[in-house]
Amino acid sequence: MARNDTLEMGELTDTAYYILLSLVEAKHGYLIMQTIEEMTDQRFSIGPASMYTTIKKLLASELIKLFEDHDPKRKTYIATEKGIDLLKKEVNRRREMVIHAEAVFNRKGEQL
Amino acid sequence: MARNDTLEMGELTDTAYYILLSLVEAKHGYLIMQTIEEMTDQRFSIGPASMYTTIKKLLASELIKLFEDHDPKRKTYIATEKGIDLLKKEVNRRREMVIHAEAVFNRKGEQL
DNA sequence: TAATGATATATCATTAAATGATACATAAAG
DNA sequence: CTTTATGTATCATTTAATGATATATCATTA
């Protein structure tokens, strides 16, 4: 968000999270969009505009890189080690967000 | 995000998530900020600007409301039923985000 | 063969979200 | 008396997300 570059801060927005997660295994742009839709049962979808702007930023931050493949028509990307590390950190951050909510509701005797 | 009001879309940004979670029990603004810092062990912090702008939006969407207390100096807020419902939905969405990541890493034989 | 839909990449202008900076006021502590 | 903590609030700016749009190829089908 504003006055703060989330990637430089070591944070992933939901969009960046799903793109990076898709790129644990090499994929080209269009396949990333499909993968995310399939993975989330259409609950989360990213259009080309969001995807390509995010890919640019992920490349610039070296969280993903171009993957060598011989197809000149499609650009294929893959997460870097730095990218995987950040992704795992961000999985954990979301886990903690769930735990924080569970703690609040448990204290009230409510379940989630 | 752009061209899309997340609250109207039924989504909570991390900032809105933590504020709403704090307001499962009635609190005034300053206490919300402290609660979030304490709850997250200073890993997540929200300044006054982010907080008051978010509170305005949560009020407008009726996800929180003013809580009747007799202190004229402090405005106290509490989550509405609508707010609690959305919060629970968003806890689940984050749970799913974790599960999606676990699925990808498990498929690679890796643990998280 | 012509048209159509799926595949594939990319940019621009716009809107929304987040926040640093700033302002102001009171109460407590030193 | 001065500083620190408490408490609320706005403005201007930056970043993030996306609808709209553009372009091109390939496979299918009418």
Side-chain angles (χ1 to χ4, degrees):
Chain A
M1 310 57 178
R3 292 244 199 210
N4 249 318
D5 187 317
T6 52
L7 292 183
E8 296 308 315
M9 299 264 313
E11 277 193 22
L12 296 171
T13 62
D14 291 354
T15 299
Y17 178 95
Y18 273 118
I19 291 174
L20 196 49
L21 182 57
S22 301
L23 292 177
V24 167
E25 278 163 336
K27 276 175 197 66
H28 59 89
Y30 195 74
L31 189 53
I32 294 171
M33 293 190 274
Q34 292 178 314
T35 302
I36 291 172
E37 285 219 351
E38 189 210 10
M39 172 159 44
T40 65
D41 284 301
Q42 340 320 322
R43 278 194 286 275
F44 199 85
S45 75
I46 294 167
S50 306
M51 218 214 32
Y52 288 106
T53 53
T54 306
I55 279 185
K56 265 188 194 172
K57 287 176 205 165
L58 291 171
L59 280 171
S61 304
E62 295 179 304
L63 298 165
I64 64 171
K65 62 181 177 187
L66 278 167
F67 181 74
E68 316 302 337
D69 89 345
H70 318 299
D71 197 333
K73 287 279 151 56
R74 302 187 299 183
K75 283 186 190 169
T76 303
Y77 310 91
I78 191 164
T80 61
E81 211 181 303
K82 188 180 168 188
I84 299 283
D85 286 347
L86 177 55
L87 180 58
K88 288 180 178 174
K89 229 187 78 189
E90 284 290 288
V91 173
N92 248 306
R93 186 167 70 82
R94 281 160 178 83
R95 248 183 212 140
E96 276 166 22
M97 288 186 82
V98 171
I99 291 168
H100 294 146
E102 287 171 341
V104 168
F105 285 103
N106 283 346
R107 218 180 306 137
K108 290 192 75 187
E110 257 187 81
Q111 292 307 312
L112 271 180
Chain B
M1 307 62 180
R3 294 244 199 210
N4 250 319
D5 188 315
T6 52
L7 291 183
E8 294 309 314
M9 300 263 313
E11 277 193 21
L12 296 171
T13 61
D14 291 354
T15 299
Y17 178 95
Y18 272 119
I19 291 174
L20 196 48
L21 182 57
S22 299
L23 292 177
V24 168
E25 278 163 335
K27 277 175 195 66
H28 58 88
Y30 195 74
L31 189 54
I32 294 171
M33 294 190 273
Q34 292 179 312
T35 302
I36 292 172
E37 285 218 349
E38 189 211 11
M39 172 160 43
T40 65
D41 285 300
Q42 343 315 326
R43 279 194 284 276
F44 199 84
S45 75
I46 294 166
S50 306
M51 219 215 31
Y52 288 106
T53 54
T54 305
I55 278 185
K56 266 188 192 171
K57 288 176 204 164
L58 291 171
L59 280 170
S61 304
E62 294 179 303
L63 298 166
I64 64 172
K65 62 180 177 186
L66 278 168
F67 181 76
E68 317 302 337
D69 90 345
H70 319 297
D71 196 332
K73 287 279 152 56
R74 302 186 298 183
K75 284 186 190 169
T76 303
Y77 309 92
I78 191 163
T80 61
E81 211 181 304
K82 188 181 168 190
I84 299 282
D85 286 348
L86 178 55
L87 180 58
K88 287 179 178 175
K89 230 187 78 190
E90 283 290 289
V91 173
N92 247 307
R93 187 169 71 80
R94 280 161 178 84
R95 249 184 210 138
E96 277 165 20
M97 288 187 81
V98 171
I99 290 168
H100 294 146
E102 287 171 342
V104 168
F105 284 104
N106 284 345
R107 218 181 305 136
K108 292 192 75 186
E110 255 187 80
Q111 293 307 313
L112 272 179

